Amino acid sequence: MQIEGTITSVFETWPVQLAVEAAGGRWHVSLSSDTTVTLRGQPAAASALRSGHRVRVTGSAAGPDALAADRIEVLA
Amino acid sequence: MDFRRGGGRKQLAEEESELSPKTSRRSTPPEAAHKEADHLDAGAAGQAEAGDIQYEAPRGRPAVPQEVEGIDAELVRLHTQRHPPTTITQDTSENKKEQTMDVQERWEEIQSAIEMENTKPPIEDGHEPVSGNSGAETATEVDMVTAAETGTASEAAPADEVMYETDNGAAIQEVSGYVETPPPDNPVIEIVHGADDRVYVGNTTAYPFRTICHLEITAPNGKRYIGSGAFIGPRVVLTAGHCVYLHGDGGWARSVRVIPGRRGNIMPYGEATGTRYWSVKGWVNNRDSDYDYAVIVLPTALGSRVGWMGLANLSFFSLLGLNVNNSGYPGDKTYGTQWWNSNNILAVTGRRLYYRIDTMGGQSGSPVWRYKDGQRHIVGIHTTGASVFNGATRVNDDVFKNLVSWKNL
């Protein structure tokens, strides 16, 4: 599944967890060491993710409004 | 917004002189300071009423690192050099030259976040305790647990507990920490990493660094995380809610391995694994970062060996501009190494603290503490970063009450 929204919080576990505000509501997104991150099309580290980033998250449902991210694309 | 300059000057000046005797004292007429404080106390009691956020930049105040035990003095000096005092002011007409775009942008983002928080109504029962343990799929709501119910209070090394009302500068509520165990005679290794503002804690057996724990978290789905925490009682470790209740991974952690004072592969006090946790509805049921705090209850009284810091519910103006410490276990450094940093609190709301302290994933749950008069008190629990400002859950009235009720579980 895929969501698109804005990162509102970066919870600082390692790997990080994200709160993403999407059109359908707030999602909790968990990353893993296998999650790939791209920043405007370029590969990036998860530590590049910032509050305020507009992102597209692709992954699998991990609970109500929760997503385990396989891929995160920073759009802007 | 009402940005009052000068608020809390007396208290800031007192701390400044205490922390840095060589620094010239800020000359604030006591009466004027008293009047301001009287006025501002109402704001403190009200805690982040919409449209009433106040900020006073500690202009000219040196960024005095507070916590130096366990850290080489030269590293502290270098840290101060690299981490100059934050210069932020709202009086753009007088101080425009002092401002940089970076600082201005930072300030605007802080304002925006605070405005957002202030328009958000509090969750009515957000601080109501919720407990869980490994294997618990959903939150179980139970009444407050007392020491008598757990039957473990006798293990606890008693801490002097002090709660008092106050006006300016002092804690609204406070419990003291506990230091007894002499540190083992471990070698001290100190290094500096490039231009990083964080400072490696070479002697993690020094108080209070030995009370700070590396957390190895296993989620219900088997996924692993790293976090940080700090003892607040013999068997109780304070951390972030998202370190024990993982919304994206099935709920309560399967287990959390707690290693106080870890330094790489060295575990000077051993370890314990927690499978029982307490958090609050605001985090577990509502996923609200304003309520992002929890404790891990350990099967052994490991805290009696390492001690713990006290807790303090400080007033709004005691917190604003306060120089605080943070130390935890970031995931981007050598595994299991502890890193310290210090800076001023930039903004305070009823439920959050914002500061410019470099942090990284893995430091969630690490304590944000004040060092004053030889006493250390935790005033926040670090939770979020990767922004122009980083943030902690504030030890406010509700958080304080819960932590006091949990600390001797």
Side-chain angles (χ1 to χ4, degrees), chain B residues 297-316:
Chain B
V297 184
L298 299 177
T300 56
L302 192 51
S304 295
R305 291 193 64 202
V306 298
W308 54 85
M309 287 184 270
L311 301 163
N313 171 17
L314 299 180
S315 71
F316 181 90

Side-chain angles (χ1 to χ4, degrees), chain A residues 9-17 26-33 47 49-51 62-69, chain B residues 223-226 242-243 246-249 283 286-287 289 292 331-332 359-364 382-387:
Chain A
S9 294
V10 178
F11 299 105
E12 289 201 316
T13 48
W14 184 275
V16 296
Q17 304 168 55
R26 190 159 46 99
W27 288 78
H28 194 93
V29 175
S30 60
L31 280 73
S32 71
S33 52
S47 57
L49 296 168
R50 294 278 183 275
S51 287
D65 302 326
L67 195 61
Chain B
K223 201 163 145 187
R224 303 283 179 93
Y225 289 93
I226 296 167
H242 66 266
C243 287
L246 302 116
H247 286 284
D249 298 286
W283 175 252
N286 298 78
R287 291 188 298 160
S289 56
D292 189 0
D332 65 324
T359 57
M360 185 58 77
Q363 288 183 252
S364 263
H382 177 74
T383 56
T384 50
S387 180

Side-chain angles (χ1 to χ4, degrees), chain B residues 185-214:
Chain B
D185 186 21
N186 280 2
V188 177
I189 305 166
E190 279 115 351
I191 54 171
V192 177
H193 280 250
D196 199 328
D197 280 334
R198 289 171 292 173
V199 176
Y200 174 65
V201 180
N203 183 3
T204 54
T205 58
Y207 181 84
F209 301 107
R210 66 174 182 254
T211 73
I212 297 168
C213 310
H214 184 234

Side-chain angles (χ1 to χ4, degrees), chain B residues 61-277:
Chain B
R61 184 178 187 221
V64 181
Q66 292 194 52
E67 196 59 72
V68 294
E69 288 177 38
I71 300 174
D72 183 83
E74 178 61 9
L75 294 184
V76 174
R77 190 189 65 77
L78 289 169
H79 171 270
T80 309
Q81 206 172 54
R82 288 197 307 267
H83 217 228
T86 306
T87 304
I88 300 178
T89 174
Q90 282 301 295
D91 191 347
T92 54
S93 60
E94 283 182 22
N95 302 290
K96 201 170 181 179
K97 290 178 185 174
E98 293 180 25
Q99 294 182 338
T100 64
M101 279 306 293
D102 174 57
V103 168
Q104 185 63 34
E105 285 168 9
R106 188 180 302 271
W107 176 249
E108 284 166 7
E109 289 216 23
I110 289 172
Q111 279 182 284
S112 168
I114 290 171
E115 279 170 9
M116 193 184 300
E117 182 179 320
N118 285 334
T119 55
K120 189 174 70 177
I123 297 169
E124 198 173 324
D125 55 358
H127 287 285
E128 189 170 318
V130 176
S131 75
N133 52 58
S134 58
E137 291 180 2
T138 55
T140 307
E141 294 172 21
V142 296
D143 293 333
M144 288 276 229
V145 171
T146 64
E149 285 179 65
T150 66
T152 56
S154 58
E155 291 177 24
D160 295 333
E161 211 161 291
V162 183
M163 293 179 67
Y164 53 87
E165 294 291 332
T166 184
D167 32 38
N168 305 322
I172 296 168
Q173 297 159 314
E174 179 180 301
V175 292
S176 59
Y178 169 65
V179 195
E180 189 172 272
T181 312
D185 186 21
N186 280 2
V188 177
I189 305 166
E190 279 115 351
I191 54 171
V192 177
H193 280 250
D196 199 328
D197 280 334
R198 289 171 292 173
V199 176
Y200 174 65
V201 180
N203 183 3
T204 54
T205 58
Y207 181 84
F209 301 107
R210 66 174 182 254
T211 73
I212 297 168
C213 310
H214 184 234
L215 306 183
E216 293 178 342
I217 303 154
T218 305
N221 59 6
K223 201 163 145 187
R224 303 283 179 93
Y225 289 93
I226 296 167
S228 301
F231 274 96
I232 59 168
R235 302 196 313 149
V236 177
V237 175
L238 175 63
T239 188
H242 66 266
C243 287
V244 301
Y245 194 91
L246 302 116
H247 286 284
D249 298 286
W252 295 107
R254 184 185 296 171
S255 66
V256 180
R257 187 180 180 216
V258 175
I259 308 160
R262 182 172 192 167
R263 194 178 76 240
N265 291 326
I266 300 169
M267 303 178 195
Y269 305 98
E271 59 175 285
T273 299
T275 56
R276 189 174 156 227
Y277 321 102

